[in-house]
Amino acid sequence: FVHFEILIFVHFKFIIYKRYRFHLIGTVIIAVCWLLSFNYIFQNAVREQLVHQEDERLGLEMEINSVINTYEEFGTYIFEQVINTPEILSVVEEAGRSDEEKQNVLRDTLYDLLKSDYDRLLLYHFKQLQFHFSNGDSFLRFNEPDKYGDNLLSLRDSIRIVNTEKKPVFGFEAGRVFNGYRLVFPLIYQGHHVGSAELALSLNGVTELLQDTYPENNIIYILKK
């Protein structure tokens, strides 16, 4: 009798298993399909997010390049029209072969000639106008007119390249006083190289312009030490 009950119980369990095994298998299949579908949707969303971020990065990079190119063209125009003139070049040339006392007079002369132009440049995010002799000595900093005479060849690659290769150099560069985007031009007077002139653009100015273009973002620049 006991064995008979056991057989009935086992048979009953077998019937239950047969009845619900298809439900169990179906549930497992549905769960697997759901997991696969969720993984596909998630991976697709990640890919779309990465594509969107890359598009934003490329757009920002193009905007930065556009701003920089505009300032390069503007700075070159200022150099050609305001700085690279016989009147300015003759002052730098004479100062380069004069004693300290005469240089002080010529420094004041150059400052007076370009002070109003420098003030206007400040309105367009330029922060520095500087003149150097061909040996790399600083002759006049418009942002710090009382600081001069220090040699910059070993500190500033742009000034070294311009005064050795006599070609313009544009790019970001850190300095003793100022970090920014610099436009450095050779000064040639009557066929002789007499020094260089530098216009420096504040990167804060660039970020302000980008902030106007992308008001929904916080635009900053990070300088790697």
Side-chain angles (χ1 to χ4, degrees):
F1 182 74
V2 173
H3 293 295
F4 179 71
E5 286 185 339
I6 293 175
L7 288 173
I8 292 175
F9 177 75
V10 171
H11 182 67
F12 179 71
K13 293 284 288 185
F14 180 72
I15 292 173
I16 293 175
Y17 171 74
K18 288 182 65 178
R19 179 178 299 176
Y20 290 102
R21 66 175 178 175
F22 293 108
H23 293 287
L24 179 62
I25 294 171
T27 301
V28 171
I29 292 174
I30 291 172
V32 170
C33 291
W34 183 86
L35 288 173
L36 291 175
S37 299
F38 177 80
N39 183 67
Y40 172 80
I41 294 171
F42 176 76
Q43 294 295 332
N44 191 56
V46 170
R47 285 193 296 270
E48 289 182 357
Q49 179 67 19
L50 291 175
V51 170
H52 177 69
Q53 291 176 350
E54 180 64 10
D55 289 342
E56 282 196 334
R57 187 193 68 79
L58 291 174
L60 182 59
E61 183 176 339
M62 291 176 61
E63 190 69 27
I64 292 173
N65 290 335
S66 176
V67 171
I68 293 299
N69 289 337
T70 299
Y71 270 103
E72 285 183 0
E73 294 177 0
F74 181 45
T76 301
Y77 174 81
I78 295 298
F79 173 74
E80 294 294 346
Q81 297 298 317
V82 178
I83 298 172
N84 195 32
T85 64
E87 184 179 25
I88 301 301
L89 295 174
S90 63
V91 174
V92 178
E93 189 275 333
E94 184 179 357
R97 54 181 173 83
S98 299
D99 57 25
E100 184 177 351
E101 182 178 356
K102 181 64 174 178
Q103 282 185 0
N104 290 335
V105 174
L106 293 170
R107 185 178 296 106
D108 291 339
T109 299
L110 183 60
Y111 186 83
D112 292 338
L113 286 172
L114 292 175
K115 179 60 168 62
S116 60
D117 294 297
Y118 174 69
D119 290 339
R120 282 192 289 270
L121 286 173
L122 294 177
L123 301 176
Y124 297 95
H125 301 293
F126 284 99
K127 295 299 183 184
Q128 191 177 62
L129 170 61
Q130 183 174 189
F131 287 83
H132 331 94
F133 293 131
S134 58
N135 66 352
D137 287 348
S138 175
F139 176 52
L140 173 60
R141 291 179 173 93
F142 274 77
N143 59 317
E144 288 190 306
D146 295 329
K147 184 176 181 179
Y148 53 84
D150 50 320
N151 190 276
L152 301 173
L153 286 188
S154 62
L155 299 173
R156 298 276 310 283
D157 286 338
S158 61
I159 297 174
R160 175 183 55 79
I161 293 171
V162 170
N163 283 285
T164 55
E165 301 183 17
K166 303 176 182 60
K167 65 179 184 181
V169 171
F170 303 158
F172 175 83
E173 190 175 34
R176 283 179 173 174
V177 177
F178 176 80
N179 299 326
Y181 196 86
R182 302 175 186 273
L183 315 175
V184 188
F185 303 88
L187 299 176
I188 309 296
Y189 180 64
Q190 295 182 350
H192 300 286
H193 174 236
V194 298
S196 55
E198 172 186 355
L199 290 166
L201 172 67
S202 166
L203 288 189
N204 287 328
V206 175
T207 57
E208 288 176 12
L209 292 172
L210 293 173
Q211 190 69 70
D212 292 339
T213 305
Y214 299 93
E216 71 281 4
N217 296 329
N218 292 320
I219 307 295
I220 63 172
Y221 73 90
I222 301 174
L223 177 62
K224 184 176 180 181
K225 184 177 180 181

